[in-house]
């Protein structure tokens, strides 16, 4: 594995660098049901170094309109000084700053419901809270909270008057989000590229968003808004031996580190072959970085590309289906020492790919299930099978 370059930068998770967004473009074509963006963050002067396979940590800010609504519902100005317990601050900070930059406005817990129950004055509010907090309502409360953010509770129980300090003490820290870096530092030493799926959805009849994805796509102004970032080093990375073949399975935004891998392999003149499995909904609208993959293939840097677009035919096709279709060739590469990488959704895709990998090795290698499982274990031990899943 490529070793992480020594960090000489003073910037890290506890002291992020104020990067600047220099590019923000939509990767999906018109008609797509998805919103995936290519984002470029300038890190010039930071001293930050990264390798292909690392992640970038981004500290987002919450939407101003959500912060305004909470302050309005509390009936305060936002200038009130607060010391949220979990932040361990040396001195209090204004409520608006805490809600904008430091605290998560989502994922309320049972604790806030219990506090509201002690604060409400309206009988209807008290009765509703009593039902939610009843021992037999555990599942009901979990479902109720799953659908709500803190603002929903302030709206639904207006007779409960919370002080700014009481509210913030129930909130979690606003945590950084990690994104797989989609560039190699060889051609781009002073910038980091990201491939970000922008999250927008509805729950409890309110429009919701992914805090960090919309901070980057909607709220960070090009070249002006500070984007606090740090590099998070990873076990993921291209083989140190450039003669080794690599197989990359990365549907959707899982493509990000593999774009970095190809840039790295081209820059270092690696002689090993590269094989990409990519999938998404529709080829016409969702083939992320299509022009780059096509060009790399034409130049001979990409030996194979196998595509799986689930909605382009009645029967859905996924990357694991393409793996099964190419089982003999896949086994030939693996038997010859190829490194196997998976990036993307951990819940379903990565599990399905793992099951398929075991099946390919078992069927093509003439092994029973136990022997195939041992073979995969050895691949992991040799760092020939690596996953970056989320």
């Amino acid at each position: 594995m490529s070793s992480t370059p020594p960090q000489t930068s003073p910037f890290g998770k506890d002291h992020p660098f104020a990067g600047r967004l220099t590019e923000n473009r939509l990767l999906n074509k018109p008609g797509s049901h998805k919103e995936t963006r290519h984002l470029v963050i300038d890190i010039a002067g930071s001293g930050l170094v990264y390798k292909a396979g690392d992640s970038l940590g981004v500290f987002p800010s919450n939407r101003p309109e959500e912060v305004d609504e909470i302050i309005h519902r509390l009936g305060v100005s936002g200038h009130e000084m607060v010391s949220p317990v979990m932040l361990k601050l040396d001195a209090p900070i204004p409520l608006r700053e805490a809600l904008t930059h430091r605290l998560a406005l989502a994922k309320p817990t049972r604790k806030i419901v219990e506090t509201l129950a002690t604060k409400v004055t309206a009988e209807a509010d008290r009765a509703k809270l009593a039902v939610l907090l009843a021992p037999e309502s555990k599942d009901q409360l979990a479902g109720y909270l799953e659908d709500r953010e803190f603002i929903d509770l302030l709206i639904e129980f207006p007779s409960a008057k919370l002080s700014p300090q009481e509210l913030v003490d129930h909130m979690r820290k606003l945590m950084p989000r990690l994104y797989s870096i989609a560039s190699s530092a060889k051609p781009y030493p002073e910038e980091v590229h990201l491939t970000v799926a922008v999250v927008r959805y509805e729950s409890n009849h309110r429009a919701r968003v992914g805090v960090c994805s919309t901070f980057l796509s909607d709220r960070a102004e090009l070249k002006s808004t500070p984007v606090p970032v740090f590099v998070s080093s990873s076990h993921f990375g291209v083989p140190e031996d450039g003669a080794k073949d690599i197989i990359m399975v990365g549907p959707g935004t899982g493509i990000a580190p593999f774009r970095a891998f190809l840039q790295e392999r081209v820059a270092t003149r690696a002689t090993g072959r590269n094989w990409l499995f990519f999938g998404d909904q529709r080829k016409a609208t969702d083939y992320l970085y299509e022009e780059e993959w096509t060009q790399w293939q034409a130049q001979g840097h990409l030996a194979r590309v196998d595509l799986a677009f689930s909605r382009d035919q009645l029967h859905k096709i996924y990357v694991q289906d393409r793996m099964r279709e190419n089982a003999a060739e896949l086994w030939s590469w693996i038997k010859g020492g190829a490194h196997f990488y998976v990036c993307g959704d951990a819940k379903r895709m990565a599990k399905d790919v793992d099951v398929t990998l075991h099946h390919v090795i078992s069927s093509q290698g003439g092994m029973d299930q136990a022997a195939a499982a041992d073979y995969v274990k050895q691949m992991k031990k040799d760092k020939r099978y690596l996953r970056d899943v989320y």
Side-chain angles (χ1 to χ4, degrees):
M1 296 302 305
S2 296
S3 56
T4 303
Q7 291 284 350
T8 55
S9 174
F11 299 103
K13 187 177 180 181
D14 296 329
H15 181 44
F17 175 73
R20 291 288 190 280
L21 201 59
T22 58
E23 189 179 334
N24 175 358
R25 66 181 166 91
L26 186 63
L27 289 172
N28 307 93
K29 307 270 192 323
S32 175
H33 294 291
K34 295 191 170 187
E35 183 182 349
T36 313
R37 293 193 168 269
H38 175 73
L39 302 156
V40 178
I41 297 172
D42 184 356
I43 57 168
S46 67
L48 290 171
V49 290
Y50 68 94
K51 67 171 177 62
D54 284 347
S55 296
L56 190 75
V58 180
F59 282 94
S61 298
N62 287 309
R63 289 193 293 179
E65 58 267 36
E66 289 184 46
V67 173
D68 288 342
E69 194 174 4
I70 289 175
I71 290 170
H72 171 71
R73 286 286 168 179
L74 288 175
V76 296
S77 68
H79 300 302
E80 294 76 12
M81 304 302 281
V82 293
S83 293
V85 176
M86 74 296 300
L87 294 183
K88 300 183 176 68
L89 300 172
D90 293 330
I93 56 175
L95 174 65
R96 184 177 295 279
E97 183 191 333
L99 294 176
T100 302
H101 302 293
R102 305 294 196 91
L103 298 169
L105 309 185
K107 298 198 180 340
T109 64
R110 179 186 177 92
K111 196 177 168 193
I112 182 73
V113 180
E114 290 171 343
T115 297
L116 289 169
T118 68
K119 296 280 184 177
V120 289
T121 54
E123 197 52 51
D125 288 350
R126 189 174 288 118
K128 185 176 178 182
L129 287 163
V131 170
L132 285 170
L133 291 170
E136 64 272 16
S137 301
K138 190 177 175 185
D139 291 342
Q140 183 188 342
L141 178 60
Y144 173 86
L145 290 171
E146 185 71 29
D147 256 357
R148 283 159 177 78
E149 298 185 356
F150 281 92
I151 185 61
D152 298 89
L153 300 179
L154 296 178
I155 291 169
E156 287 178 41
F157 302 105
S159 73
K161 297 302 177 192
L162 293 180
S163 71
Q165 185 65 46
E166 285 171 327
L167 176 68
V168 300
D169 279 344
H170 287 88
M171 292 176 154
R172 295 180 169 95
K173 282 173 74 169
L174 183 57
M175 302 300 287
R177 272 52 167 186
L178 292 177
Y179 293 103
S180 301
I181 294 174
S183 55
S184 161
K186 296 283 193 300
Y188 301 106
E190 296 196 325
E191 58 187 49
V192 174
H193 300 184
L194 303 178
T195 311
V196 175
V198 182
V199 179
R200 305 183 197 277
Y201 63 102
E202 190 175 292
S203 72
N204 193 31
H205 312 295
R206 285 177 66 92
R208 316 284 189 190
V209 298
V211 175
C212 199
S213 64
T214 57
F215 167 66
L216 290 168
S217 67
D218 303 353
R219 299 190 292 284
E221 298 285 341
L222 286 181
K223 299 182 180 175
S224 60
T225 305
V227 178
V229 298
F230 62 94
V231 171
S232 175
S233 62
S234 171
H235 67 292
F236 214 62
V238 295
E240 282 185 357
D241 182 355
K244 295 288 186 186
D245 294 337
I246 65 172
I247 301 160
M248 303 164 283
V249 183
T253 55
I255 200 72
F258 302 135
R259 181 176 182 266
F261 280 20
L262 256 290
Q263 289 180 359
E264 181 86 5
R265 300 264 282 182
V266 170
T268 57
R269 294 187 167 85
T271 56
R273 296 172 298 171
N274 306 304
W275 183 353
L276 175 70
F277 287 89
F278 174 74
D280 214 312
Q281 291 189 347
R282 299 183 189 281
K283 186 174 192 287
T285 58
D286 305 311
Y287 187 2
L288 307 181
Y289 302 111
E290 178 179 6
E291 302 80 5
E292 296 181 32
W293 299 115
T294 303
Q295 186 176 20
W296 275 322
Q297 208 171 4
Q299 292 167 344
H301 298 305
L302 195 52
R304 289 197 60 153
V305 180
D306 283 275
L307 303 171
F309 292 98
S310 60
R311 309 288 170 85
D312 276 351
Q313 59 286 308
L314 283 174
H315 174 65
K316 288 186 178 176
I317 294 173
Y318 298 106
V319 286
Q320 59 269 25
D321 298 315
R322 296 300 187 214
M323 286 172 60
R324 275 192 292 270
E325 288 170 13
N326 294 281
E329 182 72 2
L330 201 53
W331 170 241
S332 172
W333 280 49
I334 290 168
K335 189 173 62 172
H339 288 230
F340 188 85
Y341 300 91
V342 183
C343 182
D345 168 53
K347 287 192 183 78
R348 292 181 59 185
M349 181 279 295
K351 286 180 183 173
D352 291 341
V353 166
D354 186 72
V355 168
T356 305
L357 177 65
H358 280 77
H359 172 73
V360 166
I361 290 169
S362 172
S363 62
Q364 298 299 315
M367 306 178 202
D368 61 22
Q369 287 185 345
D374 286 341
Y375 191 95
V376 172
K377 273 183 197 161
Q378 190 61 45
M379 283 178 71
K380 288 179 179 176
K381 195 173 173 184
D382 296 340
K383 297 188 166 50
R384 275 212 301 138
Y385 176 19
L386 293 174
R387 310 198 315 166
D388 178 11
V389 297
Y390 39 83

